[in-house]
Amino acid sequence: MALTPEGVRKHFVQDIPADEADIVYANARPLAARCFSDKVSETAWRSKPSWYLVAAQDETIPPAVQRDSADRMGAQTLVLQSSHVPMLSQPEAVAEFIAGAAASIDG
């Protein structure tokens, strides 16, 4: 199933301006089928520090699922009131979260 331009605006990137949402829609591509069949040999979060950004207004991946994933990983978590794309709607907060993660492991 693919989202329509209206669906992208209302349910995927609902917290960014419509003209930016249209760019997201225009650049969207289907998932590669192999992403469902490729084998993962080792999950990094089991042996390395992890960080997880929960998008509390995400209509693509339910926030409860995101929180559960973060909890299972033991991840340091940031919750933002954003759609599926906090890197577009709140880039400063995302950049700060990433910079903090990097600084905490920078040797």
Side-chain angles (χ1 to χ4, degrees):
M1 182 172 95
L3 286 174
T4 63
E6 181 181 9
V8 167
R9 282 187 225 110
K10 287 184 176 182
H11 303 291
F12 189 70
V13 296
Q14 68 271 21
D15 57 345
I16 65 173
D19 59 335
E20 291 179 31
D22 291 342
I23 293 169
V24 170
Y25 174 78
N27 286 286
R29 299 291 176 259
L31 287 172
R34 67 180 268 195
C35 75
F36 298 106
S37 60
D38 279 358
K39 301 292 183 203
V40 176
S41 60
E42 183 179 345
T43 54
W45 61 264
R46 291 189 187 273
S47 60
K48 298 180 180 182
S50 299
W51 291 261
Y52 200 108
L53 197 158
V54 174
Q57 297 172 352
D58 196 334
E59 294 184 21
T60 304
I61 301 173
V65 171
Q66 296 177 47
R67 285 185 185 93
D68 180 63
S69 295
D71 288 346
R72 286 186 295 125
M73 295 165 61
Q76 293 184 42
T77 304
L78 172 65
V79 178
L80 293 178
Q81 297 301 314
S82 74
S83 68
H84 189 69
V85 294
M87 69 293 266
L88 299 178
S89 64
Q90 298 183 44
E92 296 84 10
V94 173
E96 185 177 313
F97 188 55
I98 293 169
S104 74
I105 59 173
D106 192 15

